[in-house]
Amino acid sequence: MATYTRLRYDVTDIPIAELVREILAVDDLEGLAGTDRPATRESDQSTDHHKRFYDSFDVIAPIYRKLAQEVLGSDAESHYVQRVPTFRVHLQGSLAVGEWHRDRDFGHDPAEVNYWVPLTRAYGNNTLWIDREPVHAEYGDVIVFDGANSWHGNVVNDTPTSRVSMDFRTIPRSEYRPNEKKSVSFGMPFLLGDYWDIL
């Protein structure tokens, strides 16, 4: 059975989905147009939606940091946080992540913890799977899991809605070791000031 913790935050106080809708210039994130070409590991971060999100990250950063502070609580002072969260778009007929994986297989530290933040409904085959089990979640949920060491991924989205989410990682400051390897999504070395930041 998949192991994770479900946290909740107030979406009226931290309205990330509304901000992302504005940045993507759409009325409904679940209504993003589908595709008949499933994403691969090489292409899952290269849609126009991703470009808009990352190009506008200065606008998103304050609310992202507020969310991270909220879910980490008192642990914020003893952890580093991923400086730029990873944006995911799970379009109808496609994948949000190109292959099943454990983050440690891509240079991540085994001490990292993942925080998955759906900005739409996540259900059926449009959701994240952890250890081969689907995680059903709503906007306002944060799913905390051991992504460095647990198999996770997704399947082709055959639901009538697209799923949009973001995720970020933390590492205890006591476990942090400078790592020159570069992340798959951003090509950033796992270093404080590059991949990692202080809240």
Side-chain angles (χ1 to χ4, degrees), residues 5-187:
T5 302
R6 186 186 306 269
L7 305 177
R8 291 282 302 168
Y9 66 96
D10 183 348
V11 300
T12 58
D13 186 45
I14 305 176
I16 297 179
E18 287 73 10
L19 186 56
V20 170
R21 275 206 314 267
E22 290 175 18
I23 287 165
L24 300 188
V26 297
D27 294 327
D28 178 16
L29 294 175
E30 291 188 354
L32 293 179
T35 180
D36 57 0
R37 303 180 88 189
T40 64
R41 187 174 67 78
E42 292 75 24
S43 67
D44 65 19
Q45 285 287 302
S46 61
T47 70
D48 287 341
H49 306 306
H50 289 85
K51 181 171 178 9
R52 284 179 180 239
F53 179 90
Y54 294 124
D55 285 352
S56 301
F57 184 67
D58 286 349
V59 175
I60 298 166
I63 203 164
Y64 161 61
R65 293 176 72 82
K66 184 175 183 179
L67 171 67
Q69 182 72 56
E70 173 78 16
V71 299
L72 284 171
S74 60
D75 284 343
E77 294 181 6
S78 60
H79 287 70
Y80 295 133
V81 65
Q82 186 174 333
R83 187 172 61 82
V84 179
T86 309
F87 187 57
R88 313 281 184 189
V89 180
H90 198 169
L91 298 173
Q92 299 168 55
S94 190
L95 298 167
V97 178
E99 64 184 45
W100 286 77
H101 63 284
R102 297 168 300 189
D103 289 358
R104 72 179 192 214
D105 297 332
F106 294 104
H108 287 264
D109 193 291
E112 292 177 22
V113 173
N114 292 47
Y115 293 76
W116 183 64
V117 184
L119 305 180
T120 59
R121 292 175 296 160
Y123 67 96
N125 284 339
N126 82 359
T127 193
L128 166 73
W129 293 55
I130 304 171
D131 291 328
R132 306 287 175 178
E133 290 189 22
V135 178
H136 292 188
E138 301 287 334
Y139 177 40
D141 285 341
V142 178
I143 304 299
V144 185
F145 71 103
D146 182 10
N149 303 296
S150 298
W151 286 101
H152 56 286
N154 54 183
V155 297
V156 172
N157 179 3
D158 63 1
T159 75
T161 62
S162 290
R163 182 260 295 172
V164 176
S165 62
M166 66 182 198
D167 50 84
F168 64 94
R169 290 150 192 79
T170 64
I171 189 169
R173 295 186 189 188
S174 61
E175 297 289 331
Y176 167 76
R177 304 291 178 269
N179 180 351
E180 296 284 347
K181 289 183 181 174
K182 294 184 177 180
S183 67
V184 170
S185 295
F186 303 117

